[in-house]
Amino acid sequence: MSVQVENMEKNLAKLTIQVSAEELEKAIQQAFLKNRNRFNVPGFRKGKIPRAMIEKMYGKGVFYEEAVNSVLPGAYSEASKESGLKIVSRPEIEVKEVEAGKGVTFTATVAVKPEITLGQYKGVAVKKADTEPTEEEVMARIKEEQEKNATTVTVEDRPSALGDTVTIDYEGFVDGKAFAGGKGEDHDLVLGSHSFIDTFEDQLVGKNIGDEVEVHVTFPANYHAKELENKPALFQVKVKAIHAKELPEIDDEFAGDVSEFDTLEAYKASIKEELTKKKTDAAKARKEDEALAKIIEDSQMDIPDLMVETQAENMYDEQAQRMQYQGMSMDMYMQYTGMTQQMLLDQLKPQALSRIQARLVLEAVVKAENIEVGEEEMEKELASMAENYKMEVDKLKEIMGESSLEQMKSDLAVQKAADLIVEQSVETEEAEEAEKTEA
């Protein structure tokens, strides 16, 4: 096998790869042995037909396609290594010549990792973030827990109110006639939930158990039953029961019931600490995104389209895998959304470009700062992964292999670069004011 490299514009390269006649002959013979039972030639038993006879009857190139498909992947893999290029895309293959006795000539057009002129990455101005939770945020979190621990009680000494659950029998009429689907018994309806149409629920507020109520509504224009769209309706409703949600008092006893803490103050302090961490993590992620966007804008790089297309395809595959875990295939998703694979890929391209730009910038920072990842850091990360996967570190290393371990090392270095640009970014009051104005 031989390979020639032609550098092209926009960080593209074309590899011209020659597979020897001997390698092609071997692949043709394998294709013949695999497929000879498919052919019928008078005077020969099936599977006993000489290759020369099949080629005479069906054409000299009858086995070329399968032979070429078998040799191309290995030839490309070997050629890509021999070329010394940093290839960052799937290849675009074009077969130029196939002939027994001469071999196979094909080209592979690929994207090559772009060089980058790194812009200013230290002291990047970012919007100041407030990571201190407010009392309202702490109480909102506590009230969520209060709602989870609410109990339902039967109400008999007062009329219904918003927030109550009423048990009703109902039957609906349009133009004086009952309609399909308009009748129900012992239905529980939360007043104020807007689960019934128009002002239905409002007209049941202030009613007592045993009341029989005429509820007047108008079906909406986009109602799922076309025959009822825009139609006025009368519902005969009987209130059979009223239930109210009873919330526990927010006090020390409540704190002890819903947490490991004995007092409300200690419980509030733990929630404040939790919210502070969340807001701090969110602020760090936002600052990283903002700083990276400015560094990308200040840097120079020429991203080839093939690189973006490959990244979008990888993201598509990631999305398909996530959906598979959720029990949905991409075919089902596309039928549901009305989108095609190409539409989804086109939709992913802007995000794919951003990912590529961010990675190139961070890798450039790694190089500029001579950032390294030591063995201790690697072992710590591997120990954490092994614990998550419930396996021994040595077994994990064996499964990952050298290439995956090197990729992990590179990823850790890139994360250190991201941490560096955040640590060295500058929060400005002016940016904070601009953020408030935008809000």
Side-chain angles (χ1 to χ4, degrees):
M1 189 209 75
S2 66
V3 58
Q4 294 179 339
V5 179
E6 177 190 352
N7 291 315
M8 303 165 68
E9 293 182 348
K10 284 206 72 173
N11 292 302
L12 294 176
K14 181 182 286 186
L15 310 182
T16 300
I17 303 159
Q18 174 71 45
V19 178
S20 69
E22 291 77 16
E23 290 177 84
L24 176 60
E25 171 56 31
K26 184 179 177 181
I28 292 173
Q29 181 64 13
Q30 288 174 340
F32 158 66
L33 294 173
K34 180 181 174 183
N35 295 285
R36 59 185 172 181
N37 289 331
R38 292 171 40 218
F39 297 93
N40 290 306
V41 175
F44 291 92
R45 282 186 299 153
K46 207 166 191 180
K48 300 296 182 180
I49 311 167
R51 176 178 145 189
M53 182 63 69
I54 295 174
E55 289 176 337
K56 184 178 180 180
M57 290 194 66
Y58 292 91
K60 189 177 179 182
V62 65
F63 299 114
Y64 281 6
E65 182 176 355
E66 184 161 340
V68 169
N69 287 339
S70 72
V71 299
L72 252 59
Y76 169 72
S77 178
E78 188 180 338
S80 63
K81 291 175 186 175
E82 189 178 319
S83 72
L85 298 173
K86 294 180 180 177
I87 296 173
V88 290
S89 75
R90 295 187 176 96
E92 288 188 344
I93 301 290
E94 185 179 353
V95 177
K96 295 294 187 180
E97 183 182 26
V98 185
E99 188 175 343
K102 289 187 177 181
V104 183
T105 301
F106 69 97
T107 61
T109 303
V110 295
V112 179
K113 188 173 183 179
E115 294 293 327
I116 174 172
T117 303
L118 186 61
Q120 177 62 36
Y121 62 90
K122 293 181 179 179
V124 178
V126 295
K127 295 174 184 177
K128 189 172 182 179
D130 186 3
T131 58
E132 183 76 12
T134 64
E135 180 67 18
E136 289 76 13
E137 288 172 326
V138 173
M139 286 308 300
R141 177 69 183 79
I142 291 174
K143 285 176 180 176
E144 285 178 17
E145 203 63 39
Q146 184 191 34
E147 286 284 342
K148 290 179 188 176
N149 288 271
T151 56
T152 301
V153 296
T154 301
V155 174
E156 296 179 341
D157 58 350
R158 65 166 176 80
S160 60
L162 283 174
D164 287 347
T165 298
V166 292
T167 303
I168 59 173
D169 290 344
Y170 63 89
E171 186 172 14
F173 301 87
V174 169
D175 298 329
K177 295 180 180 180
F179 58 88
K183 186 174 183 179
E185 293 182 354
D186 295 324
H187 182 85
D188 288 333
L189 176 64
V190 179
L191 300 183
S193 65
H194 305 292
S195 54
F196 270 33
I197 61 169
D198 200 18
T199 59
F200 190 103
E201 294 164 28
D202 297 337
Q203 295 175 60
L204 296 180
V205 173
K207 307 305 177 185
N208 291 291
I209 295 171
D211 283 356
E212 294 185 359
V213 186
E214 288 189 349
V215 174
H216 296 269
V217 295
T218 300
F219 284 99
N222 59 347
Y223 195 63
H224 63 84
K226 295 292 184 185
E227 67 276 9
L228 297 177
E229 286 183 352
N230 295 312
K231 290 278 189 177
L234 166 68
F235 281 84
Q236 298 284 357
V237 181
K238 182 176 182 179
V239 180
K240 300 176 74 175
I242 303 171
H243 304 280
K245 185 163 40 176
E246 196 169 81
L247 298 171
E249 288 291 328
I250 298 177
D251 53 20
D252 291 344
E253 184 179 350
F254 169 76
D257 289 340
V258 301
S259 75
E260 60 186 288
F261 303 99
D262 296 328
T263 67
L264 180 60
E265 284 308 308
Y267 179 45
K268 288 175 70 174
S270 74
I271 290 175
K272 187 172 183 180
E273 184 179 347
E274 175 193 332
L275 291 176
T276 300
K277 184 180 184 312
K278 284 184 179 179
K279 293 186 81 169
T280 300
D281 290 345
K284 180 179 180 295
R286 183 188 58 74
K287 285 193 285 186
E288 182 181 318
D289 289 344
E290 189 177 339
L292 269 173
K294 290 186 176 182
I295 299 167
I296 288 168
E297 190 176 353
D298 196 37
S299 301
Q300 294 178 4
M301 56 192 121
D302 194 0
I303 313 295
D305 292 340
L306 265 181
M307 189 178 185
V308 177
E309 288 169 13
T310 298
Q311 179 65 48
E313 288 166 7
N314 291 339
M315 291 166 66
Y316 176 91
D317 291 342
E318 290 169 9
Q319 186 175 338
Q321 194 172 41
R322 286 195 300 271
M323 288 190 170
Q324 191 173 10
Y325 289 144
Q326 297 167 7
M328 179 182 283
S329 68
M330 285 301 285
D331 286 341
M332 290 166 61
Y333 175 75
M334 286 188 283
Q335 286 176 10
Y336 181 74
T337 59
M339 299 186 76
T340 64
Q341 181 177 356
Q342 190 56 53
M343 289 166 68
L344 285 169
L345 287 169
D346 290 340
Q347 196 176 70
L348 287 168
K349 282 180 182 178
Q351 189 182 348
L353 176 61
S354 296
R355 275 196 191 182
I356 292 167
Q357 291 171 324
R359 181 77 186 199
L360 290 174
V361 159
L362 290 172
E363 287 178 346
V365 172
V366 168
K367 185 176 179 180
E369 292 291 321
N370 294 314
I371 294 173
E372 294 182 351
V373 176
E375 286 304 313
E376 189 177 332
E377 292 171 286
M378 283 288 288
E379 290 300 322
K380 183 179 178 182
E381 184 69 15
L382 284 165
S384 175
M385 289 176 64
E387 185 178 350
N388 289 337
Y389 290 122
K390 309 296 183 191
M391 66 171 63
E392 296 296 323
V393 172
D394 289 343
K395 183 65 177 176
L396 178 62
K397 286 182 181 179
E398 183 184 333
I399 292 171
M400 290 181 68
E402 286 300 320
S403 61
S404 294
L405 288 169
E406 281 301 314
Q407 184 61 50
M408 189 178 92
K409 194 172 188 177
S410 175
D411 292 344
L412 289 173
V414 162
Q415 186 54 56
K416 289 173 79 170
D419 293 341
L420 182 143
I421 65 171
V422 170
E423 289 164 8
Q424 298 199 3
S425 65
V426 178
E427 290 186 327
T428 62
E429 293 295 335
E430 292 80 4
E432 183 183 27
E433 289 303 317
E435 187 180 29
K436 289 178 181 177
T437 304
E438 290 169 11

